[in-house]
Amino acid sequence: MSILGNEVRRVEDPRMLTNGGTYVADIPVVGAAHVVFVRSPIAHARLLSVETGDARAMPGVLEVVIGDDVDLDPRPPMAGDAAMSRPLLAVDKVRFVGDPIAAVVAETVEQATDAAEAVWADYDPLPAVVDAETAAEGPKLFDDAESNVAIALPPTAEMDFSECEVVITHRIVNSKIYASPIEGRVAAAAWGEDGRLTCWSSTQGPHTAQGAIAGALGLEPSQVRVIIPDVGGGFGTKASPGPEECLLGWLARRAGRPMRWAETRTESLQSLGHSRAQFQTVTLGGTADGRFTHYRLDMLADAGAYPGVGALLPTFTGLMACGNYDIANVAWSATAVATNTAPVQAFRGAGRPEATAAIERAVDLFAAEIGMDPAEVRRRNYIGADAFPLTTPTGAGYDSGDYQASLEAALEAADYNGLRAEQAARRERGDHRLLGIGVATYVEVTSPMGPVCTETGSLELRPDGTVLARTGATPFGQGHVTTLSMVVADTLGIDLDQIEMIHGDTDEIPSSDITGGSRTAQIAGSALFDASEKLIEAARPRAADLLEAAPADVVLDADTGQFHVVGTPARSTGWADVAAAASETLFVENDFEQHGATFPFGTHIAVVEVDAGTGEVTLERLVAVDDAGTLLNPLLAHGQIHGGLAAGAAQALIEEVRYDPDGNLLTSNFADYAVISTTELPSFEVHESVTPTPLNPLGAKGIGESGTVGSTPAVQNAVVDALSHLGIRHLDMPASPERVWSAMESAS
């Protein structure tokens, strides 16, 4: 019986729950000094001078460097004018609160922290550009750039709504949030006697980090070894190392000793990077009987102070603009601007949740306009299950799906008709607990890193019959070791405890891509599946010798892990026998290529209660039907969905990064930034649907971000639905008591 598809507890957990994980901060680096960065308290200013004399004289201080000391090239932007490059330490200007202006190196972190307080700078303040909607015409962040616009993508198609019977248009704010990883950014760097730099990094891919660090230091990638031990959460914001981490190797070479650095929580909130931050205008047109014919999405993205991936995320939003719907005419445009706020990074979904939030709000607005139930409007517009594979008007190559089936399953699980009846009864009797039901159907793209997505995997048969597996995937809490080991164990017919998994080391792994985009199960899993098949083929001649048979007549029984002659299972030999009889180690390596992305989908239904007197929103239920193709381990898949549902509900209800008009971060700690907890969440109701993809041998799609994509608009739609009888058609996120109460007061 196959282990795949069964709930298997994580093999990582015993170590985590007993000895604990080994994170970068736990790595012993002999002789390491500690680095603390001095950060700008002003959002936008000319940096006239940085005075370091007092800090240099303090106990334990080894070095204090400023931007003018650093002889490394600035990091170029990922999009836009090259003038928007970022120096590793600020030179001439600071561009957000938290921009590093100096690095203090000391024997202890306490000494470095004290000395950092003694560094002072002379600033010439400039007007802060905080509002993305006015940033294009605001004071320039980069003197040599033409403007603050990083990218400006015109509409992908002309759109004429004149023949539509019904047209709705609305401005929607997809609010700025923070990923809240348990572990902030942490790094260490040491030069070896061989002239190579070793970096320990809390990031999401060793070779991505290697390339970034080597590039920053002007080295060849082979001159840098990156080791990624346990990681306390990434979510996309740790996709690659930041400027502080890239500077550590330079500081280590300058001081002649290793360096360590760990950011504080406030530093993380200031400078790790924020996410989402889109201003959207949706226009949806169609017929009075509920059919969509035209859709346009215009986006303005806040890229933060240094346009990086945040400037590119709208392209993912545009790709997924039409969602699950059969709309003949679809167009999108995008502008990304620089502002005096922290650079915007990817976060769980990276552009795809923004697309779903836009179209799902538009669908509810359309339904309200024609007076039709929002579930029925969705039914009338889904792409049919018999239409796959297909290419959408925005160029997305959907592989497989059955969107209406996910809706019907969710409606039944939630007792949608009963909820609507209860809502009507409450409104009839004037109940102060307003009931809202929100529906959102989503489709998202996973493994979206290009037309061909690759990952490496290798297997080595040890002399005792156990297997050493290597994967390019980098775990940071998802349970990858368990999932990938299950693939190997199932194919080879061995137990999970006979497999050791190595990952996160550029000296051990020949190549790797970033672990993101929900790609691991489908790409890394398929790489190890194919490697397992290759190992069986490599072992077959040896097993045949032991069985005194022809290799072509020998097969592996994957249920028992025993080789035997076809039709004669009584006489067999196992992996340990094959390994012991070998004159050399059996080793196979495989690079798996998946041609095209996969597109998970599902329907989420949220049920909320709103206190009519205070505006307080309580999330009572969250029902999720998610389809990620073949589930290799439903237990871990459900865990990923739970985390995603929590993150999505958090944005809809309470989480928001906020700045004042001068660019001061108002949410600089967990007292001010409202991280969601179990007290704000119900027990999730998770249901499975399985539509395998034809693009990989496992039939798997990604699951790590699906919960986030669908839950946010479901919860937002539910809050608006609770208020709809008051004439309220829309409410931007987060649905705080103040915002809800103000909307009700304005409507009364």
Side-chain angles (χ1 to χ4, degrees):
M1 179 178 177
S2 174
I3 192 175
L4 296 180
N6 291 289
E7 294 193 349
V8 176
R9 293 190 176 185
R10 300 188 346 158
V11 299
E12 299 94 324
D13 287 348
R15 174 176 63 88
M16 292 288 188
L17 296 173
T18 53
N19 298 330
T22 300
Y23 301 90
V24 173
D26 300 318
I27 301 293
V29 183
V30 178
H34 294 263
V35 181
V36 168
F37 289 93
V38 182
R39 300 182 181 275
S40 171
I42 299 175
H44 196 198
R46 298 202 180 278
L47 184 60
L48 303 180
S49 66
V50 181
E51 303 299 328
T52 63
D54 291 344
R56 290 176 184 276
M58 294 184 69
V61 173
L62 304 172
E63 179 68 284
V64 182
V65 300
I66 63 174
D68 289 336
D69 299 322
V70 179
D71 57 354
L72 301 174
D73 291 335
R75 303 177 80 183
M78 294 183 70
D81 198 322
M84 294 180 173
S85 295
R86 179 177 186 176
L88 300 187
L89 291 176
V91 178
D92 300 329
K93 254 191 179 187
V94 292
R95 296 182 174 88
F96 70 100
V97 171
D99 209 352
I101 65 169
V104 178
V105 181
E107 295 287 356
T108 69
V109 68
E110 293 80 10
Q111 289 170 332
T113 301
D114 288 343
E117 294 290 334
V119 175
W120 61 275
D122 188 7
Y123 298 96
D124 179 16
L126 298 168
V129 179
V130 179
D131 181 4
E133 293 185 291
T134 60
E137 306 303 324
K140 289 197 296 184
L141 274 68
F142 301 88
D143 295 342
D144 295 334
E146 291 187 9
S147 71
N148 291 327
V149 176
I151 63 167
L153 303 176
T156 54
E158 294 297 323
M159 193 65 58
D160 181 7
F161 289 86
S162 61
E163 295 185 2
C164 297
E165 296 175 348
V166 179
V167 179
I168 63 94
T169 187
H170 213 287
R171 173 186 177 274
I172 296 171
V173 178
N174 202 293
S175 49
K176 184 177 289 188
I177 57 175
Y178 165 69
S180 304
I182 295 174
E183 178 197 36
R185 291 179 296 168
V186 188
W191 290 91
E193 293 181 358
D194 58 357
R196 294 180 75 213
L197 176 65
T198 298
C199 295
W200 293 266
S201 177
S202 178
T203 47
Q204 294 177 214
H207 289 87
T208 301
Q210 181 189 53
I213 293 168
L217 300 180
L219 303 172
E220 293 297 321
S222 60
Q223 295 175 273
V224 180
R225 178 186 185 184
V226 171
I227 300 171
I228 300 178
D230 292 321
V231 177
F235 309 110
T237 52
K238 291 184 184 177
S240 62
E244 299 95 335
E245 184 169 342
C246 290
L247 192 61
L248 287 191
W250 183 86
L251 290 170
R253 182 166 53 192
R254 181 182 177 97
R257 59 189 294 183
M259 294 290 150
R260 309 191 74 114
W261 168 67
E263 67 181 2
T264 66
R265 181 58 63 183
T266 292
E267 284 182 295
S268 184
L269 276 152
Q270 285 179 336
S271 57
L272 169 63
H274 302 143
S275 304
R276 307 288 190 251
Q278 275 191 21
F279 298 83
Q280 305 167 326
T281 299
V282 294
T283 306
L284 181 60
T287 64
D289 64 354
R291 283 287 299 136
F292 307 148
T293 59
H294 295 71
Y295 178 58
R296 174 164 167 164
L297 171 62
D298 297 296
M299 294 167 278
L300 173 66
D302 184 346
Y306 298 97
V309 69
L312 300 178
L313 292 177
T315 60
F316 284 110
T317 307
L319 178 72
M320 302 305 299
C322 54
N324 308 70
Y325 305 107
D326 182 9
I327 310 175
N329 305 287
V330 181
W332 61 271
S333 69
T335 300
V337 294
T339 63
N340 292 122
T341 62
V344 168
Q345 305 286 357
F347 170 69
R348 210 162 188 169
R352 292 101 75 194
E354 294 90 318
T356 302
I359 188 67
E360 290 303 295
R361 282 300 303 131
V363 170
D364 266 30
L365 288 163
F366 191 97
E369 183 70 19
I370 64 174
M372 185 176 290
D373 185 272
E376 179 58 30
V377 171
R378 287 172 170 82
R379 280 193 190 96
R380 297 187 181 197
N381 289 281
Y382 285 141
I383 296 168
D386 59 352
F388 297 92
L390 63 93
T391 300
T392 71
T394 58
Y398 289 4
D399 55 338
S400 62
D402 190 343
Y403 304 149
Q404 183 165 339
S406 76
L407 173 72
E408 304 303 340
L411 294 176
E412 181 179 357
D415 185 18
Y416 185 74
N417 292 334
L419 289 170
R420 287 296 180 199
E422 172 64 17
Q423 181 185 60
R426 291 195 191 191
R427 290 176 176 177
E428 178 69 23
R429 65 177 181 261
D431 199 316
H432 82 285
R433 299 292 294 177
L434 310 179
L435 186 66
I437 306 110
V439 179
T441 303
Y442 74 89
V443 57
E444 75 128 340
V445 54
T446 61
S447 192
M449 285 74 168
V452 179
C453 200
T454 65
E455 194 58 271
T456 187
S458 69
L459 297 176
E460 178 182 328
L461 182 63
R462 290 165 158 168
D464 61 356
T466 62
V467 172
L468 180 64
R470 292 177 174 86
T471 177
T474 301
F476 40 94
Q478 307 94 326
H480 286 169
V481 173
T482 302
T483 300
L484 299 178
S485 296
M486 287 173 64
V487 171
V488 176
D490 185 74
T491 311
L492 300 184
I494 60 178
D495 294 334
L496 289 176
D497 60 10
Q498 293 178 276
I499 301 167
E500 180 185 354
M501 190 75 61
I502 292 179
H503 53 79
D505 187 337
T506 55
D507 275 11
E508 289 280 356
I509 312 298
S511 65
S512 68
D513 204 336
I514 178 180
T515 294
S518 299
R519 70 191 298 274
T520 297
Q522 56 188 304
I523 308 299
S526 294
L528 285 172
F529 173 79
D530 286 351
S532 298
E533 295 282 356
K534 287 183 177 181
L535 187 63
I536 293 170
E537 289 306 308
R540 193 189 307 275
R542 298 184 180 183
D545 288 344
L546 293 173
L547 294 169
E548 299 178 336
D553 295 332
V554 173
V555 295
L556 174 71
D557 183 344
D559 288 336
T560 63
Q562 296 289 308
F563 290 91
H564 65 83
V565 175
V566 175
T568 314
R571 184 165 177 256
S572 63
T573 188
W575 286 104
D577 298 326
V578 170
S583 58
E584 59 183 28
T585 300
L586 271 184
F587 175 83
V588 295
E589 189 171 18
N590 182 69
D591 290 318
F592 175 76
E593 294 185 351
Q594 178 172 290
H595 294 261
T598 57
F599 293 81
F601 63 92
T603 298
H604 293 173
I605 296 178
V607 181
V608 303
E609 284 191 345
V610 177
D611 189 309
T614 66
E616 180 184 16
V617 178
T618 303
L619 180 59
E620 295 290 337
R621 296 177 66 192
L622 193 49
V623 179
V625 175
D626 297 281
D627 193 313
T630 303
L631 297 183
L632 305 184
N633 185 335
L635 180 68
L636 299 187
H638 291 171
Q640 289 294 293
I641 294 168
H642 279 224
L645 294 174
Q651 184 185 11
L653 293 175
I654 64 172
E655 292 193 20
E656 183 181 27
V657 171
R658 299 182 65 185
Y659 287 87
D660 72 11
D662 294 322
N664 295 307
L665 181 64
L666 301 178
T667 49
S668 61
N669 54 57
F670 280 163
D672 297 322
Y673 185 81
V675 178
I676 204 159
S677 68
T678 55
T679 59
E680 291 89 24
L681 296 169
S683 293
F684 301 130
E685 302 169 48
V686 175
H687 303 269
E688 295 174 11
S689 172
V690 176
T691 307
T693 179
L695 298 183
N696 63 67
L698 299 175
K701 305 181 183 183
I703 195 64
E705 293 153 301
S706 294
T708 315
V709 178
S711 60
T712 303
V715 175
Q716 186 182 19
N717 285 346
V719 175
V720 176
D721 180 66
L723 309 175
S724 60
H725 65 298
L726 304 176
I728 296 170
R729 289 290 180 90
H730 180 73
L731 197 70
D732 280 322
M733 301 181 288
S736 64
E738 177 185 10
R739 181 168 285 166
V740 173
W741 182 85
S742 296
M744 290 190 293
E745 284 294 296
S746 298
S748 61

